[in-house]
Amino acid sequence: MRFRRRGEINFLVRRGARIRTELGRVAWARATQGRGRILFIVSGAVARRAARRNRIRRELEEQARRGFAARASRVDVVILVDPAVAALTRSARAAAA
C-alpha cells in the first residue's frame, strides 16, 4: 500500500513521533489504513543527480522490504534521508537500514 496524499506525509512528519538515526530523521504514527507503510524521502541535498537519489532510495526500500516489520505492526513510517547516507557504501547503507 502506498501513501496517496501529501497530507498523510505531512501529518507524519509534523505530528508523528520522531527520532534521529544514522539514516536520517524518522517519523512514525499509527497506520490510518490496514497495513503499515514506509516512505523514504531522498532530497536533492543527498545527491544532485536523480539517478543517484533513485538508486539510494531503491536500495533502502529493498532492505526495508526484507527486514522491516512496520507492515505487520500497523505503523506508517517516513524517513527523511540524511545527506551523509550518500557517502556510505552499499553494504553500509544495507547495515544501517
Side-chain angles (χ1 to χ4, degrees):
M1 186 161 234
R2 298 172 52 162
F3 287 95
R4 296 291 179 188
R5 293 179 303 230
R6 184 176 291 174
E8 294 174 322
I9 298 166
N10 288 339
F11 175 81
L12 278 174
V13 172
R14 291 185 180 139
R15 296 198 181 117
R18 294 180 294 264
I19 61 170
R20 185 129 177 91
T21 67
E22 55 192 31
L23 279 181
R25 293 182 293 163
V26 179
W28 71 92
R30 188 163 207 60
T32 56
Q33 302 187 0
R35 298 184 338 203
R37 301 171 289 184
I38 186 165
L39 173 69
F40 291 94
I41 299 175
V42 184
S43 71
V46 174
R48 286 187 66 162
R49 296 182 181 266
R52 177 92 168 113
R53 289 192 305 269
N54 289 338
R55 179 175 299 279
I56 291 168
R57 181 185 46 80
R58 284 193 306 266
E59 289 173 3
L60 293 172
E61 285 175 348
E62 178 62 20
Q63 290 301 318
R65 185 187 67 78
R66 288 183 181 173
F68 194 72
R71 290 193 172 296
S73 64
R74 298 184 58 155
V75 175
D76 288 339
V77 179
V78 173
I79 301 174
L80 296 132
V81 178
D82 194 65
V85 172
L88 297 175
T89 63
R90 183 178 292 174
S91 59
R93 276 196 297 272

